[in-house]
Amino acid sequence: MPHQCTNCGRTFADGSKEMLSGCPDCGGNKFQFDPTGEAETAPPETEDTATRSASTASPEGTSADDPGVTDDVAEPNTSPPTAPDTEDGAQASARSDVVSPDELAAAAESTEPAADRAEQGETAPSPADTDPSDTDASDSNLDALRQKLNDQFESIRIVSPGQYELNLMELYDREEYIISLREDGRYVIEMPEGWDDR
Amino acid sequence: MGLLTNLRDSITRVTDRLFADDEPKRIGIYGPPNAGKTTLANRIARDWTGDAVGPESHIPHETRRARRKENVEIERNGKTVTIDIVDTPGVTTKVDYKEFLDHDMEKDDAVKRSREATEGVAEAMHWLREDVDGVIYVLDSTTDPFTQVNTMLIGIIESQDLPVLIFANKVDLDDADVKRIADAFPQHETVPLSALEGDNMDEVYEKIAEYFG
Ligand SMILES: Nc1nc2c(ncn2[C@@H]2O[C@H](COP(=O)(O)OP(=O)(O)OP(=O)(O)O)[C@@H](O)[C@H]2O)c(=O)[nH]1
Ligand SMILES: [Mg+2]
């Protein structure tokens, strides 16, 4: 069940058709991909292995109604302060048009499960996400995850952190819209519903 | 996954097209990184609305999220055409943070920029599939137009039957070669311009009105 509704936490088998018309439970149309297939509605603290915590669901960088585009006028090149410069903080600051620094700070301290935060429209890392590579064990997990992402998702190949190869045809052919790409092998996608109300 | 969505997408598209006749056409500004897409988008937006669209930079992948400027009213020959312009991230098949290190960027920032750039390409490709009614394809006339990216994108645009104009940008530079671009895509109209200097903008607006009006 590699996909999970970021709103209510319901999980779906890979390629589940149910997702295509939005979550049958809550109508949400954002789904997080979890390459380990271990997405659960259970809160993170019940998880004890490195693999599990590295796969904890966490939506990020998306607004509820506008998946893609910043409207109208350019704002100055903002980079709001994000306290620790983790992958997630960096990612989130790149999304400053949809997430305010305050929300980030609040959410970064929160230990709530991801689904709850998604409901509030907030998007930020859970503590378990912030440094998946602090032990040797999770380093190899990281490699495994990266490999899984590459297999599953051949439209973008992660050569190494910061180095990517893109298959344009694959990207074009994909029906889901990729919102957020992460080193640990997760990304957040949005299904077509979200596009309609732009 | 796929069939259902494809079907639904095409239904949406058809209905969109049926009912959206009086809506402004959404014109995507596409092309490789650094071609001058944002410079062009800003010039068009400034000329007709007074606003800008986004930051320009000599460092590639400055634009990493699509940006839209709506209801740009362009007047040509007593006629007004209204379009939405979408400035998209430069499309490429390879993103490497090392490229940014040459621009005095710290490694962390370069890695981050590179990840965002990759997401940006994914976004740009997605817009091409779903959300644009026409394309302005911007190329830097001082560089070789025969690239995999250009061939692939133009091919996709043609397969979508979208109206497309090729803009040969940066003609103010000495080594600009507009003919090389025109020869590379003889099936499409090539318009020379300098988005930076504002050269040949009259023809630019004329063609926009003609193709996307
Ligand atoms: N000489 C000259 N330079 C130009 C022209 N148009 C753009 N430039 C310069 O080319 C560089 C890239 O311009 P951008 O508009 O940021 O390019 P872009 O296509 O949006 O690039 P990405 O967002 O990275 O894909 C900047 O330094 C611009 O000043 C032009 O007509 N002539
Ligand atoms: Mg740009």
Side-chain angles (χ1 to χ4, degrees), chain B residues 90-187:
Chain B
V91 173
T92 180
T93 53
K94 235 183 187 150
V95 182
D96 190 336
Y97 74 93
K98 288 191 177 134
E99 182 188 353
F100 306 133
L101 297 179
D102 302 339
H103 295 278
D104 257 355
M105 209 178 281
E106 295 296 324
K107 185 180 171 192
D108 282 358
D109 294 336
V111 167
K112 176 183 158 207
R113 187 183 182 95
S114 137
R115 193 177 56 236
E116 290 169 9
T118 303
E119 292 166 8
V121 174
E123 185 180 9
M125 293 310 291
H126 205 98
W127 273 77
L128 192 52
R129 174 181 160 128
E130 300 294 334
D131 279 318
V132 294
D133 305 310
V135 172
I136 292 174
Y137 199 80
V138 181
L139 289 166
D140 177 340
S141 315
T142 67
T143 63
D144 183 2
F146 291 98
T147 65
Q148 194 197 354
V149 167
N150 293 341
T151 311
M152 214 181 284
L153 276 180
I154 296 286
I156 289 173
I157 293 161
E158 286 170 354
S159 75
Q160 288 260 52
D161 262 338
L162 293 170
V164 58
L165 279 170
I166 313 259
F167 278 18
N169 191 31
K170 308 197 185 183
V171 293
D172 57 296
L173 298 176
D174 284 345
D175 44 351
D177 187 345
V178 177
K179 184 167 182 301
R180 188 168 53 172
I181 293 179
D183 289 348
F185 306 103
Q187 69 276 38

Side-chain angles (χ1 to χ4, degrees), chain B residues 71-83:
Chain B
N71 294 314
V72 178
E73 288 184 24
I74 296 175
E75 280 176 39
R76 269 307 95 163
N77 308 323
K79 182 179 143 212
T80 302
V81 296
T82 306
I83 57 171

Side-chain angles (χ1 to χ4, degrees), chain A residues 5-158:
Chain A
C5 176
T6 61
N7 189 40
C8 71
R10 172 162 174 164
T11 55
F12 300 86
D14 193 18
S16 165
K17 288 200 169 59
E18 288 173 298
M19 285 166 56
L20 298 180
S21 42
C23 177
D25 285 355
C26 71
N29 58 14
K30 286 202 190 69
F31 301 92
Q32 156 154 304
F33 173 71
D34 179 353
T36 64
E38 291 178 8
E40 301 275 351
T41 50
E45 47 270 27
T46 64
E47 301 181 355
D48 47 13
T49 70
T51 314
R52 296 292 295 259
S53 54
S55 72
T56 304
S58 164
E60 67 174 283
T62 67
S63 73
D65 49 19
D66 188 342
V69 167
T70 309
D71 264 300
D72 291 333
V73 193
E75 62 246 58
N77 222 348
T78 49
S79 49
T82 45
D85 192 18
T86 61
E87 292 277 299
D88 293 302
Q91 184 66 46
S93 79
R95 308 278 176 235
S96 55
D97 51 346
V98 292
V99 186
S100 81
D102 288 346
E103 283 174 324
L104 282 174
E109 278 151 31
S110 156
T111 53
E112 293 167 77
D116 288 355
R117 291 198 307 274
E119 206 168 312
Q120 300 155 19
E122 288 182 7
T123 55
S126 67
D129 287 341
T130 48
D131 195 355
S133 58
D134 55 357
T135 69
D136 288 352
S138 58
D139 259 0
S140 56
N141 282 332
L142 201 61
D143 284 346
L145 283 163
R146 189 176 293 151
Q147 192 49 49
K148 273 189 184 169
L149 175 64
N150 286 341
D151 293 345
Q152 159 89 19
F153 196 45
E154 69 267 349
S155 44
I156 297 176
R157 199 169 88 79
I158 304 177

